[in-house]
Amino acid sequence: MGYRSEVALVTTQKGYSRLMAAVACNPEATRLVIEGIENENYRADGEGNCNILFHWKWIKWYDDSDQIRLIEDWMNVEEYDKDYDEVEFNFVRIGESNDDAEERGNANYGLALQRSISF
């Protein structure tokens, strides 16, 4: 079955265009990104600027997966390409284990990591 995570990612329209370009070489990665779109008008600012919210509820988010690696590389682009315009994003991943959680990004688009007990 494998280890699963819940993942959310928010980026700008410009970031979305660059993400699609980054995954274009892999049809499965392209499908993963498109199917992950939860809201194309997330936090619109009233000036025509809006962000794209992606949400994968039960996904195997493994770095050794080609599809995931392409998305990870897109998020890490500033680490290896200083001439690339900054891509703004907010990323949150919650794994199955209580101590397995991750927040990354260079923008605050309202994603929040929370664990709670419900009954």
Side-chain angles (χ1 to χ4, degrees):
M1 182 169 165
Y3 189 86
R4 304 283 179 151
S5 296
E6 180 177 8
V7 176
L9 169 68
V10 178
T11 190
T12 60
Q13 290 283 342
K14 185 177 182 180
Y16 173 68
S17 296
R18 291 192 170 159
L19 175 58
M20 290 305 293
V23 300
C25 63
N26 185 313
E28 291 178 24
T30 301
R31 181 182 50 77
L32 177 69
V33 169
I34 292 170
E35 289 178 354
I37 295 174
E38 181 87 12
N39 185 341
E40 294 183 57
N41 295 304
Y42 182 73
R43 290 191 167 216
D45 65 8
E47 297 177 12
N49 299 319
C50 59
N51 303 307
I52 312 295
L53 168 65
F54 302 89
H55 186 216
W56 297 275
K57 293 179 183 168
W58 197 240
I59 187 169
K60 293 180 180 180
W61 197 266
Y62 299 147
D63 287 347
D64 61 353
S65 162
D66 291 339
Q67 299 91 309
I68 303 306
R69 181 78 262 146
L70 289 169
I71 298 170
E72 289 281 340
D73 287 349
W74 171 81
M75 287 191 287
N76 295 327
V77 71
E78 63 210 27
E79 292 180 14
Y80 60 84
D81 188 349
K82 299 299 181 194
D83 295 327
Y84 196 87
D85 292 337
E86 187 174 319
V87 173
E88 293 185 351
F89 70 94
N90 190 195
F91 173 87
V92 175
R93 185 188 60 77
I94 301 171
E96 291 179 32
S97 300
N98 287 334
D99 62 347
D100 183 18
E102 169 183 15
E103 293 181 273
R104 294 191 327 215
N106 52 8
N108 182 6
Y109 291 118
L111 295 182
L113 175 62
Q114 298 178 346
R115 289 204 182 259
S116 63
I117 297 173
S118 56
F119 50 92

